[in-house]
Amino acid sequence: MNTALSWIKAYVPDLDVTAQEYTDAMTLSGSKVEGFVCLDKNLEKIVVGQIEKIERHPDADKLIICQVNVGSETIQIVTGAPNVKEGDKVPVVLDGGKVAGGHDGGPLPEDGIRIKNGKLRGVESFGMMCSIEELGSSRDMYPLAPESGIYILPEDTEVGADAIEVLGLHDVVFEYEITSNRVDCYSVVGLAREAAATFRKDFFPPVVTETGNGEDIHDYLQVEVENTELCPRYCARMVKNIKLAPSPEWMQRRLAASGIRPINNIVDITNYVMEEYGQPMHAYDYDLIAGHKIVVKCAKDGDEFQTLDEQIRKLDSTVLMINDGEKEVGIAGIMGGENSKITDDVKTMVFEAACFDGTNIRLSAKKVGLRTDASGKFEKGLDPNNAEAAINRACQLIEELGAGEVVGGIIDVYPVKRQEVRVKFDADKINDLLGTQISAEDMKAYFKKIDLGFDEETQEVIAPTFRQDLHRLADLAEEVARFFGYDNIPTTLPSGEATTGKLSEKLRIEELAREVAEFSGFSQSMTYSFESPKVFDKLLLPADCRLRQTVTILNPLGEDFSVMRTSPLNGLLTSLSTNYNRRNKDVKLYELANIYLPKALPLTELPDERMQFALGMYGEGDFFTMKGVVEEFFDKLGMTKKVHYNPECNRPYLHPGRKADIVYEGVVLGYVGEIHPDVADNYKLGERTYVAVLDMPNVTPFADFGRKYTGIAKYPATTRDISMVVPKEILVGQIEDVIAQRGGKILESYSLFDIYEGSQIKAGFKSVAYSIAFRAKDHTLTDDEVGAAMKKILNGLQGLGIELRA
């Protein structure tokens, strides 16, 4: 919806704000402003001038030389305009001034056009007379403007006055995005009410005076509503002795600013009231209404009807129609018929202001293939109590503009009146909901500003029928919040017993996985859950591998997206491959990816959907870098027991000598390793690529977010270094198991600090060196205590065939 600021100010006269201030404040208070256009943009130094003398240009047949009085002086202007004559008053841009655009009416330049003194065919020209297009407007807004030529101002215009003010261009047109529950704001009156409340100004709605002669409309017309469910209210008034003429300039400009082309006084009044009150209206030629009777009822299946746009519309029994005594004359709420339209010969007309069921209007508009401004408003669900005020306002304008003689009385079919809604008011609950401390009196003041009543006896807010969005206390809280100011509401903690306000354990673990990965330099990757069966060959999976048993998609986009993935590796390796082939160095990616493992084939139940924490990298780093990220994750999860790595894992897509299953308390949690060279070739990866995959459902049971405080050690630690000759087949993990099991309670830590293989070590063996630390919590350790612990460790190591190195 578009409205001019001047129209809003007609009902809020003290409103003095800039376009940006209006935009920001109205948006914050709930009436979202999408944007605005300043009609006087790029218009500078433009005054009213009067042409005193015209002479032919000596060297150009199509140019004339005008002497123009601009109030302070008379200047010479050369022009080629064909429509000016001596005595005309025209808009004149002076030297150094600006106009919005060119005379051709094309797109307006962003910064306008600067006008400077110059010569035209050797004759000096001090300024320029303007067309309406050069002023950034059009003939839609100024119908009297010539198609090509200078705009001629009225004869009584003051010479030297601000031409932009005279033309009403010191104005701003705002575009709103109104939510469908605020039907009252689909009107200028509704927006003005909101503006008055937003800026704490007084609101002065139109004062509708009583109209009509001494006659009674019931003597002229009958109205019958057969379907009161689809038409809860129908109002009709009559106007005689119609005098068609252009509507006044102020009305034309307000309509044009709203995007409505002015036509004549009668049509413009109906459109004006539709915009002002948000109530669509329609006018029928009384002499074309058979039997002088209006009947509101549904059409019959198979009926056809010609609308005002001369199109034939096919109807059915759900479409509500306006009929006269013999035929259909209009589609209710959408468009009138060709057979009853207002022509230049009209003498007497019938004004219609009705309320129709919004859902039915929307469905009917879709069925007949016709959506209008009126149907767009009706389908929101209008307030039936607004119809009488709107039709009376239209009749008032008829009399004020001298467009006709209003017949006395009104036909009003309104069998069930819509009542106001009462909502129990509780200031404490509203403050609890908002986290504010607003007084009850301040809240009531907000309500009063937007025409909400208040019953002190029952402590209820009375919502008028035009506020169809107010039904409960939360709605009242919203009204308080938007006028108190969302930006003024303090930050408060939520209260209540329904939730502790924290993540579930599963989500906490996933969040921790993201943190560890990102702190370790990994970037998140997101890949499709749909894959091609061909990926199993790329991963070197054997024919009988369980991962080849997939959930097949019934309607895939293609073979490449035909099965649900059973491993996160393909997506991760594809992303790494893309980065490698685009010459990105040192890439680290991770993904929390779901895999789908069918419990049986063919499917009889939902598959096992498992979250996998997958990491992949190439470039800087190696197997142990990836292993370190995994252990960091386990440490953050509180998994304090030793993690084992089993190199005898059966995973064909990993390098035979650089792979391991990750085992914790006997449960395989995942795997880590380097990608098999053949798999790397399949994915066009030219560097060693390392991956780690953890099965989150298996990890979750071992997570422990409890943390126990341990004080700073009071007694010193004692360290012992041992260097061993170890058979090559013995893994350091086996050595560490012996140290951990036999070190006893005084064992504090151990660390590997050297591995050596070479000529100084006998064949089939390697040198391994450890530093072992011991500490007691309650005393300083003696050499005997440390010696006893070391003896147990050495005895255990000897059982593995390990010897101390001399």
Side-chain angles (χ1 to χ4, degrees), residues 59-218:
D59 296 324
D61 293 338
K62 294 184 178 180
L63 296 179
I64 56 175
I65 304 170
C66 301
Q67 303 301 320
V68 183
N69 177 10
V70 294
S72 59
E73 60 179 326
T74 298
I75 62 176
Q76 179 172 287
I77 297 177
V78 180
T79 181
N83 68 316
V84 294
K85 64 181 184 299
E86 292 181 357
D88 283 346
K89 293 181 178 178
V90 296
V92 176
V93 56
L94 304 177
D95 177 44
K98 259 187 177 185
V99 293
H103 66 277
D104 57 357
L108 300 180
E110 183 63 27
D111 297 324
I113 299 173
R114 183 73 65 183
I115 303 300
K116 295 183 178 179
N117 294 342
K119 289 184 178 182
L120 288 177
R121 299 292 294 269
V123 177
E124 288 186 317
S125 182
F126 302 92
M128 184 182 79
M129 294 181 283
C130 303
S131 68
I132 201 64
E133 289 78 15
E134 287 164 332
L135 297 176
S137 193
S138 68
R139 296 183 68 246
D140 284 339
M141 196 162 184
Y142 294 87
L144 298 179
E147 290 189 16
S148 60
I150 305 302
Y151 185 80
I152 308 301
L153 295 166
E155 293 181 2
D156 59 352
T157 307
E158 179 186 351
V159 174
D162 181 356
I164 304 308
E165 183 175 353
V166 170
L167 289 166
L169 289 174
H170 286 311
D171 205 352
V172 185
V173 176
F174 295 95
E175 179 184 356
Y176 303 85
E177 181 184 334
I178 306 299
T179 54
S180 58
N181 66 326
R182 290 301 307 273
V183 183
D184 57 304
C185 288
Y186 283 90
S187 66
V188 178
V189 169
L191 288 170
R193 182 186 295 110
E194 291 291 309
T198 299
F199 293 100
R200 312 293 198 271
K201 303 295 182 182
D202 291 330
F203 170 55
F204 298 94
V207 178
V208 181
T209 56
E210 185 176 347
T211 56
N213 58 22
E215 299 178 287
D216 187 352
I217 187 176
H218 293 85

Side-chain angles (χ1 to χ4, degrees), residues 527 565-573 591 593 595 612 614 671 693:
T527 59
R565 66 183 171 193
T566 56
S567 168
L569 281 184
N570 175 66
L572 192 62
L573 293 176
E591 181 176 8
I595 64 169
Q612 306 262 291
Y671 55 87
V693 176

